[in-house]
Amino acid sequence: MAQQQGAMRPAGGPPMGPPGQKPSFRAALSVFGNRNYRYLWVSSLFSFTGMQMQQVARALLAWQLTHSYGSIGLISLSFGLPMLCFSLVGGSLADRFEKRNLTLVSQFVTALLAVVNALMLVTDTITIEWLFLLGLGGGTAMALGMPARSPLMAQVVGPQHVMSAMAMSNAAMNATRLFGPAVAGVMVATINLESVYFLQAGLYVVSCGLLLFVPTGLGAASAVARGNMFREIGNGLAYVARDSRLRQLNISMLAISFFAMPYVMLLAGFVHEDLGKGDAAFGFLQSVSGVGALVGSLAVATLTAYDRKTLLQWVAGITGGLGLVLLALGSRSFGYPGAIGAVLVLGLALTAYQTLNSTLIMDAARPEFYGRVMSINMLSFSAMPLMAFPLGRVADSVGATNLFIAQGVIVAGIMVAIALLNPAHTFGRAAPVERPPFMPGRPMHPGAPERVEDVAPAGGK
């Protein structure tokens, strides 16, 4: 079983898989030959655009209401708390029920919440407290629905194309960062905030319509996940804890989510307070980050057959830490142009790190655990909005630039520690994972037990 999870070899040891292959973007694009994947991908494009616009509008609205970094962090916290509390439940639901329908309901609820937010702006009844409550609703919808989307995109293309499907899905998300934040910033500056929320709601409605073209049954629940929900959540946690590769990948993502990614939540105040720029400049800076993110995700998409992804992820983490220091020092020395260069580096490095992490996790996990494994990975992403609040309070006291320097040093230190503590994972080569196609409700291989709790985890006896 350990071999199925992609065994690693220590640096300098004998290779356990074929040598790395040349980058191939054509191989990554092959997933678009699948009709259902195309619908899912375009649906994601619309929903991700709405999400990017909402992030800008939410941060600007929190700043306009309070002019406090801590309040921006508080609104981010409203999204992080439901993700922390309900992501594991969402993962269990994804393994028990129809994944397309779960995704559909999640996006429809998000659209309704955007309309409510817009109407409260129109009637001038929005407050920071209401914005927090709406954030709780949006975070809950995301926590319950997102663990179903990635497994669905992986299952419609089959196990041989999981890496390409995940990489191109991340490319869709990051492509929206090119124009979504900029459009939101311009709309806020030239029209108003409520127009952004109305447009976001419309984008989610279109996304829901496209999902209706995807037939049900493609991401249906496996018969192995029909027991008590909390028992199944426990099985998923035990599976990840006992699999050394999945355990390492989740720990690596958690470190970046805690100390690097929360910088995004502080950018709105940083642009206004430290750089002396307006809403449109903030939206443009977010788009610059999207340029780097798109380059990073497309670069990863060309490396689906490369066997040194963990090393690339580590390099991306180091670069992300240095990028945070560059953001602080570059803005002090060169102002807004310095911030543009630093955010470009951060977008590329952190997105490459995140994309590599999610693709490696999906490649290592068994399909009957997809939903629960992705929900555990989402716990790492809940760390980003959760940390935005305390980091925002720190920024109120010491300034955003000083905070960015401290974050960068911490991230670089964590990356060095990861390499020293587990060099085999960081510098080793991954053997390819060979699995038969996943058939919902059937064992993964001849003679396999029907219930997942009867399957020994990797390294088990």
Side-chain angles (χ1 to χ4, degrees):
M1 186 68 70
Q3 291 178 346
Q4 284 185 331
Q5 300 306 317
M8 308 294 293
R9 73 163 177 89
M16 299 183 68
Q21 300 181 27
K22 292 182 179 180
S24 174
F25 190 63
R26 179 177 296 180
L29 291 175
S30 64
V31 292
F32 289 107
N34 184 298
R35 170 188 175 275
N36 294 318
Y37 183 84
R38 290 197 302 272
Y39 277 120
L40 287 170
W41 191 87
V42 177
S43 171
S44 296
L45 199 65
F46 280 95
S47 65
F48 287 145
T49 301
M51 181 179 69
Q52 299 294 345
M53 296 182 71
Q54 183 197 46
Q55 287 179 352
V56 172
R58 187 171 66 237
L60 289 174
L61 180 55
W63 181 260
Q64 289 180 9
L65 290 171
T66 64
H67 293 281
S68 166
Y69 286 110
S71 294
I72 295 177
L74 180 66
I75 298 306
S76 298
L77 183 67
S78 71
F79 274 76
L81 284 175
M83 291 173 65
L84 180 66
C85 296
F86 301 123
S87 288
L88 294 179
V89 175
S92 179
L93 292 174
D95 286 334
R96 294 164 67 90
F97 300 109
E98 170 58 51
K99 293 180 176 62
R100 190 212 70 169
N101 292 341
L102 286 173
T103 305
L104 188 64
V105 171
S106 171
Q107 297 202 64
F108 182 72
V109 170
T110 304
L112 286 179
L113 291 172
V115 171
V116 171
N117 205 326
L119 292 176
M120 294 191 76
L121 277 166
V122 169
T123 57
D124 197 26
T125 55
I126 191 70
T127 63
I128 195 69
E129 292 81 12
W130 274 112
L131 192 60
F132 183 86
L133 291 175
L134 290 169
L136 289 177
T140 301
M142 179 177 293
L144 297 178
M146 283 299 289
R149 177 183 284 278
S150 294
L152 179 59
M153 298 188 80
Q155 286 180 332
V156 298
V157 299
Q160 286 74 29
H161 300 287
V162 165
M163 299 287 281
S164 295
M166 293 299 297
M168 297 312 298
S169 174
N170 278 279
M173 179 177 66
N174 292 309
T176 64
R177 292 175 62 180
L178 295 176
F179 53 87
V183 170
V186 170
M187 289 179 68
V188 172
T190 60
I191 309 176
N192 49 42
L193 263 170
E194 52 264 39
S195 65
V196 179
Y197 282 102
F198 279 125
L199 179 56
Q200 180 212 351
L203 292 169
Y204 272 99
V205 169
V206 174
S207 177
C208 290
L210 289 167
L211 282 174
L212 293 175
F213 287 95
V214 180
T216 57
L218 297 172
S222 171
V224 298
R226 295 294 190 184
N228 179 273
M229 176 182 291
F230 294 102
R231 181 184 180 188
E232 296 302 333
I233 290 174
N235 291 336
L237 290 169
Y239 171 60
V240 171
R242 294 173 185 174
D243 186 289
S244 61
R245 190 180 180 195
L246 289 172
R247 185 173 64 247
Q248 179 70 47
L249 288 168
N250 277 284
I251 291 173
S252 299
M253 193 65 238
L254 191 64
I256 290 293
S257 297
F258 262 109
F259 298 107
M261 291 185 173
Y263 93 93
V264 175
M265 308 295 182
L266 306 177
L267 273 182
F270 175 71
V271 169
H272 285 81
E273 190 79 11
D274 294 74
L275 300 179
K277 299 292 183 179
D279 297 338
F282 170 58
F284 178 74
L285 200 63
Q286 290 278 59
S287 295
V288 169
S289 175
V291 172
L294 182 60
V295 171
S297 57
L298 291 178
V300 171
T302 69
L303 300 169
T304 54
Y306 188 58
D307 58 358
R308 304 295 296 275
K309 296 186 188 72
T310 51
L311 176 59
L312 292 178
Q313 183 185 18
W314 183 79
V315 171
I318 290 286
T319 305
L322 296 177
L324 285 166
V325 176
L326 179 63
L327 178 59
L329 300 182
S331 62
R332 282 179 178 175
S333 301
F334 304 104
Y336 190 63
I340 290 175
V343 165
L344 184 66
V345 172
L346 280 166
L348 191 155
L350 296 182
T351 298
Y353 190 99
Q354 173 189 334
T355 303
L356 285 164
N357 190 269
S358 61
T359 55
L360 285 167
I361 283 176
M362 289 295 288
D363 189 51
R366 298 203 303 273
E368 70 268 34
F369 281 102
Y370 273 171
R372 281 163 287 176
V373 167
M374 288 308 297
S375 71
I376 294 169
N377 187 242
M378 277 188 66
L379 290 178
S380 299
F381 289 99
S382 72
M384 179 176 71
L386 289 174
M387 284 297 291
F389 178 62
L391 289 177
R393 297 300 296 269
V394 173
D396 283 331
S397 300
V398 304
T401 53
N402 291 327
L403 177 62
F404 291 153
I405 292 174
Q407 286 179 260
V409 172
I410 292 172
V411 169
I414 290 174
M415 290 298 104
V416 171
I418 286 174
L420 294 176
L421 292 173
N422 197 344
H425 173 87
T426 303
F427 303 108
R429 295 182 184 274
V433 181
E434 298 291 341
R435 296 192 190 96
F438 174 59
M439 298 295 292
R442 295 181 57 185
M444 290 303 298
H445 55 83
E450 287 287 337
R451 295 187 57 79
V452 291
E453 57 265 31
D454 298 330
V455 181
K461 300 293 184 183

